[in-house]
Amino acid sequence: MTYTEMKAEHVPQVAQLEKLCFADPWSEKSVASELNNDLALWLVAVDGDAVVGYIGSQTVCGETDMMNVAVHPDHRRRGIAADLIEQLIRQLKNRGSCSLTLEVRASNDGAIALYDKLGFQPV
């Protein structure tokens, strides 16, 4: 498994994961637009040639919002989401971000448990 910044070649697979994982997915065009957004940092988890997970964020004035995180259902429960979040945190610190926030549905127990394990605090 490798973790890297999202590139144009990853966009179609990220858009497919959006459709697979979310009821209201970002379009391929919207995902691609993040490549040209100076505020954005998107990372992908790649297994061979397949994007199996990704995380997207935007930073304004040193404050980052984690917008999207998803892992293909066949690759869940392997620590990929946690690795993506930890990679994102490291890269954001190097870029001068001082905070990271996210929104999560109250019914998403798995995500809430992961965020709690990683030290996120509810506000």
Side-chain angles (χ1 to χ4, degrees), residues 74-86:
D74 293 344
H75 294 270
R76 291 182 182 159
R77 313 285 310 163
R78 298 181 188 174
I80 295 170
D83 288 346
L84 282 164
I85 294 167
E86 290 171 346

Side-chain angles (χ1 to χ4, degrees), residues 19-120:
K19 289 178 187 174
L20 184 62
C21 297
F22 298 110
D24 188 21
W26 286 37
S27 68
E28 186 170 331
K29 182 178 178 181
S30 293
V31 172
S33 72
E34 292 297 285
L35 293 171
N36 299 315
N37 181 348
D38 292 338
L39 305 175
L41 174 59
W42 284 55
L43 305 175
V44 292
V46 180
D47 186 12
D49 293 329
V51 173
V52 298
Y54 67 91
I55 190 167
S57 69
Q58 287 190 0
T59 303
V60 177
C61 297
E63 297 180 1
T64 303
D65 180 39
M66 186 169 68
M67 302 174 307
N68 306 42
V69 60
V71 174
H72 191 285
D74 293 344
H75 294 270
R76 291 182 182 159
R77 313 285 310 163
R78 298 181 188 174
I80 295 170
D83 288 346
L84 282 164
I85 294 167
E86 290 171 346
Q87 290 277 337
L88 181 70
I89 290 168
R90 277 193 289 280
Q91 290 199 32
L92 290 171
K93 282 182 182 177
N94 290 338
R95 293 174 178 217
S97 178
C98 59
S99 71
L100 177 61
T101 59
L102 59 97
E103 292 183 16
V104 62
R105 272 188 231 100
S107 62
N108 193 341
D109 295 331
I112 292 168
L114 171 63
Y115 301 142
D116 184 57
K117 175 183 165 188
L118 294 172
F120 285 85

